[in-house]
Amino acid sequence: MTVSLEQLRRCHVAVDLGAARTRVFIKGAGLVVDEPSVAAVNTRTGALIAVGTFAEQMTGRTPDYIRVARPVTGGTVVDVEMAQRMLRHLLGEKLRRQLRRKPGLRAAACTPHDSDPLAQRAARETLMGIGARRVELVDTLIAAAVGCGLPVEQPTATMIIVCGAATTQIAVLSLGAIVTAVRLPVGGDAIDHAVIQHLRHQHALMLPSQSVRPLQLALHGNGLTPLGPESTEIHGRDVATGLARSVLVDTAAVRNAIHTPLTSVLDGIGKVLRDCPPDLVADLAERGIMMVGGSALLPGLDEMLRASTGMPVHIAERPDVCAILGVGAMLEGQIHPMVLDPLAE
């Protein structure tokens, strides 16, 4: 674990700055912010126009002088000043006033596995923008495992896959620590891009970027599986004429387009298992894989992993908020590490 549980219990607020969404947990109040990590800025005056859901709705619909910015990429803050402004507005004046009353405010932040010192420094500086005097960093893999109820502190292997918007993190945990892990630059955004390119090349149809994820979830509900319907109707814009058009799309072809960028995820699982001790691999064959993160709900992903690995694959009850809820549980003292008493000689 990046930081001890005793240090986390002294923290008052936890923040998960993700590429897709920003979540804030306050001790005693629970999850208070769950909004897209998007901010809209007037480039002429530098004023912040909108943040969160409203700013995301403005994507692709703004005049030239309005820029829609995403200050977080792959779990790493790439624009500290914009991330601070976005976070302050998402919290609101009432919550910021409440946090300012706490002397020596301590904050906890989720950071991707194996993040470099510059990324850790950017996360610290962002939280100091809301008044934090000290910032503790928690590995996203540990936080997500705690949030979905895995027995992280026990001497048994648990495998978790955090499916984010820009990255996928895979790890085997035991005794409250990461045994082996890998981070891959493939996430939900890559899958969205694959669907857009498939529709453009095969059907000459342009799909708005904001319609891709609802489309995938709708296909999942209609059964984007070998047993589901053979085709589904999709609305978009014709590439040649620019007019609105509807086409019948073969769901098997969409499924193949989605699976193509996920081959690297299978390679990552194989690497983690090869680096893992044999006794822990035996535990994993029985316990299986737990999937968390917003992209864990992508259609067919769990079935593909189940078929490729031969292990049980489970999706957490609330996969999108597991990481922040895990850090919140640590803040409130709900997690107790297994005490190992040294043997007397």
Side-chain angles (χ1 to χ4, degrees):
M1 193 174 293
T2 314
V3 64
S4 70
L5 287 173
E6 188 59 36
Q7 290 173 306
L8 284 174
R9 289 193 187 101
R10 300 193 189 108
C11 295
H12 306 96
V13 59
V15 178
D16 181 12
L17 283 167
R21 300 185 74 86
T22 294
R23 299 177 175 93
V24 180
F25 184 100
I26 294 181
K27 185 188 290 187
L31 187 63
V32 295
V33 174
D34 186 1
E35 293 280 343
S37 303
V38 187
V41 185
N42 187 327
T43 56
R44 295 174 180 172
T45 62
L48 201 61
I49 298 175
V51 295
T53 303
F54 186 46
E56 187 178 46
Q57 294 172 353
M58 297 169 66
T59 303
R61 298 182 170 93
T62 60
D64 292 339
Y65 66 92
I66 295 179
R67 180 174 65 95
V68 178
R70 293 182 178 269
V72 185
T73 301
T76 300
V77 179
V78 294
D79 188 341
V80 174
E81 181 184 356
M82 184 60 64
Q84 288 177 344
R85 296 175 67 186
M86 178 188 73
L87 195 55
R88 280 196 292 266
H89 281 78
L90 287 177
L91 283 171
E93 183 60 33
K94 182 179 178 181
L95 284 176
R96 280 187 289 151
R97 201 181 312 120
Q98 179 182 341
L99 293 175
R100 278 199 296 265
R101 293 197 195 103
K102 300 183 183 296
L105 176 66
R106 288 180 176 230
C110 293
T111 56
H113 174 70
D114 201 20
S115 57
D116 57 80
L118 286 177
Q120 296 177 8
R121 179 180 175 183
R124 286 194 173 96
E125 289 183 357
T126 301
L127 294 195
M128 287 177 179
I130 63 171
R133 298 293 180 267
R134 182 184 175 95
V135 179
E136 311 289 357
L137 301 181
V138 183
D139 197 305
T140 302
L141 289 166
I142 297 287
V146 171
C148 64
L150 291 178
V152 180
E153 300 294 339
Q154 300 301 316
T156 57
T158 54
M159 188 172 191
I160 187 168
I161 301 180
V162 180
C163 307
T167 60
T168 298
Q169 304 174 66
I170 308 167
V172 174
L173 311 174
S174 180
L175 285 173
I178 296 174
V179 178
T180 177
V182 66
R183 182 166 56 136
L184 307 170
V186 175
D189 291 344
I191 299 171
D192 293 350
H193 182 71
V195 173
I196 291 175
Q197 291 303 311
H198 169 77
L199 294 175
R200 184 183 182 94
H201 294 153
Q202 300 299 324
H203 300 278
L205 193 74
M206 291 184 64
L207 196 67
S209 58
Q210 294 185 24
S211 302
V212 179
R213 188 56 55 88
L215 165 66
Q216 292 179 9
L217 296 178
L219 288 175
H220 183 54
N222 293 334
L224 185 53
T225 65
L227 302 177
E230 294 183 355
S231 62
T232 185
E233 187 176 12
I234 295 178
H235 307 279
R237 191 181 76 181
D238 189 278
V239 173
T241 64
L243 301 176
R245 184 163 64 92
S246 300
V247 296
L248 278 177
V249 176
D250 182 17
T251 52
V254 177
R255 183 170 64 250
N256 292 333
I258 289 175
H259 288 181
T260 300
L262 294 175
T263 52
S264 58
V265 177
L266 296 176
D267 295 339
I269 293 175
K271 180 181 185 304
V272 168
L273 292 176
R274 285 193 299 271
D275 296 341
C276 191
D279 290 342
L280 295 182
V281 175
D283 290 345
L284 295 175
E286 179 182 351
R287 303 183 64 89
I289 303 171
M290 178 64 74
M291 294 177 59
V292 302
S295 299
L297 297 173
L298 288 175
L301 178 55
D302 55 336
E303 297 172 4
M304 187 193 73
L305 296 181
R306 192 178 296 115
S308 302
T309 62
M311 295 191 296
V313 178
H314 314 282
I315 299 178
E317 185 177 351
R318 299 177 64 189
D320 51 340
V321 295
C322 280
I324 190 65
L325 293 182
V327 183
M330 297 179 199
L331 261 63
E332 296 185 337
Q334 299 176 8
I335 307 301
H336 303 284
M338 186 173 66
V339 178
L340 299 176
D341 294 325
L343 297 176
E345 298 183 359

